[in-house]
Amino acid sequence: MFEFLDFEEESIENKPPLPSIIQGEIEFEHVDFGYSDDNVFIQDLNMHIKPGMKVAIVGPTGAGKTTIVNLLMRFYDVLSGQIKMDGHSINDYTRESIRSSYAMVLQDSWLFKGTIKENITFNQEVDECDFYRATKAAKVDHFIQTLPHGYDTLINEDASNISQGQKQLITIARAFLSNKNILILDEATSSVDTRTEYLIQEAMEALMKKRTAFIIAHRLSTIINSDLILVMNQGQIIEQGTHTALLQNKGFYFNLYQSQFEEAEII
Ligand SMILES: Nc1ncnc2c1ncn2[C@@H]1O[C@H](COP(=O)(O)OP(=O)(O)O)[C@@H](O)[C@H]1O
Ligand SMILES: [Mg+2]
């Protein structure tokens, strides 16, 4: 948090906003990037994601998974090459408009002090029908109905009065309601009970339907059905393909999968 507060203010940009109809096509063309000039650890990164694709990014800690998200959202700008959304180079448009094309569901669900409803709508006026559709789709409706104050339940400052899994479902509802065509999901690894985990997975699956989705996956079991798996190591995409194709490759992914599988068996 302090690191975040210490960041330099972003400069004001004299650029137009991104055209609002975004289908969800993403291209990386010859992208180079490093957090400092003497460590350009992403070199000549290329990928082409078609609208509606479900893309999983896997790899060990420090591989560059979060960095990809930072670049997509323009938290950092590429050193050379370009990233395009629906054919538009994202550097030509305001950061604000780029960021508002995405819905994010992150591991540390971010909730603020306010009612559950305010947390889902971000204090925006919303259509009641849309609201209930979103909460039903996010599988959070049932749990909220069992609270004495329902959607008017106040969430504490530290959100200690609801569980980790419920927080996650609330942020999924938020993503449904915002109805963006591109999603970034940082898969939850937090220990939730099996039933909640099942609900979260179902809700995530529903959310990803017909949307382009980037999933930073920790448990490989949840990404088996992705259209594309990008395997990263040290800033490079070292392998890519479907789960089946990557297993047949008997390369990095194969070994990663085997080791997780063995771990799971020991536990
Ligand atoms: N804000 C930052 N400033 C400087 N270096 C960073 C920053 N964020 C990540 N890194 C470094 O960049 C590399 C990739 O990190 P990251 O994208 O977070 O990996 P992953 O998400 O796959 O664990 C790592 O070596 C990490 O230490
Ligand atoms: Mg990361």
Side-chain angles (χ1 to χ4, degrees):
M1 186 50 110
F2 286 115
E3 220 174 279
F4 175 75
L5 291 173
D6 282 342
F7 275 153
E8 244 175 80
E9 289 266 355
E10 290 180 329
S11 55
I12 304 218
E13 296 179 299
N14 194 7
K15 295 174 179 174
L18 190 73
S20 58
I21 302 162
I22 286 295
Q23 305 297 320
E25 182 188 37
I26 306 274
E27 290 162 279
F28 277 59
E29 291 178 349
H30 306 292
V31 167
D32 290 349
F33 177 75
Y35 291 98
S36 62
D37 291 343
D38 57 357
N39 183 16
V40 181
F41 71 101
I42 291 187
Q43 288 177 7
D44 198 28
L45 185 68
N46 293 288
M47 61 169 130
H48 187 177
I49 313 299
K50 302 212 180 74
M53 270 173 82
K54 184 175 161 188
V55 183
I57 309 175
V58 304
T61 304
K65 304 181 295 291
T66 302
T67 304
I68 297 288
V69 173
N70 288 342
L71 294 175
L72 283 170
M73 306 279 286
R74 278 198 65 208
F75 289 127
Y76 292 88
D77 286 330
V78 298
L79 290 178
S80 64
Q82 57 181 348
I83 300 173
K84 290 178 174 172
M85 288 170 89
D86 287 4
H88 304 287
S89 177
I90 62 171
N91 263 326
D92 297 340
Y93 301 92
T94 57
R95 294 187 192 94
E96 196 191 1
S97 66
I98 299 295
R99 286 171 203 167
S100 65
S101 331
Y102 292 92
M104 296 181 91
V105 178
L106 301 180
Q107 218 168 326
D108 308 307
S109 322
W110 183 75
L111 299 181
F112 52 86
K113 192 178 172 199
T115 66
I116 291 180
K117 183 162 186 184
E118 286 161 352
N119 266 279
I120 295 174
T121 62
F122 265 117
N123 292 322
Q124 305 282 317
E125 282 289 323
V126 296
D127 182 88
E128 286 295 298
C129 281
D130 291 345
F131 179 78
Y132 288 107
R133 209 176 296 131
T135 54
K136 285 223 163 59
K139 314 269 177 196
V140 74
D141 190 59
H142 179 73
F143 139 69
I144 293 172
Q145 300 291 0
T146 63
L147 300 170
H149 301 288
Y151 286 99
D152 295 327
T153 305
L154 264 177
I155 295 178
N156 299 342
E157 198 115 30
D158 58 356
S160 57
N161 56 339
I162 52 171
S163 79
Q164 190 60 39
Q166 290 158 349
K167 282 185 212 169
Q168 191 93 18
L169 291 174
I170 288 173
T171 55
I172 295 175
R174 196 188 261 173
F176 263 112
L177 188 63
S178 74
N179 199 21
K180 302 290 163 64
N181 279 338
I182 316 180
L183 300 170
I184 293 177
L185 310 172
D186 201 342
E187 186 194 69
T189 47
S190 44
S191 45
V192 296
D193 63 275
T194 334
R195 191 185 130 72
T196 311
E197 185 178 331
Y198 180 72
L199 283 181
I200 292 173
Q201 277 199 21
E202 265 196 335
M204 292 266 216
E205 286 293 330
L207 181 63
M208 283 187 282
K209 258 199 197 117
K210 295 188 186 154
R211 294 182 169 99
T212 305
F214 291 90
I215 314 143
I216 299 191
H218 303 279
R219 277 164 315 182
L220 300 183
S221 59
T222 60
I223 54 148
I224 288 174
N225 298 322
S226 307
D227 300 303
L228 179 66
I229 299 171
L230 304 173
V231 186
M232 293 194 74
N233 196 23
Q234 299 182 346
Q236 304 298 311
I237 295 176
I238 52 169
E239 290 175 354
Q240 52 179 299
T242 61
H243 174 72
T244 321
L246 287 171
L247 280 189
Q248 280 167 359
N249 246 4
K250 291 219 160 47
F252 197 92
Y253 182 83
F254 176 82
N255 289 325
L256 207 62
Y257 190 72
Q258 289 290 320
S259 63
Q260 280 205 0
F261 197 63
E262 277 158 21
E263 252 171 55
E265 274 185 326
I266 294 164
I267 295 162

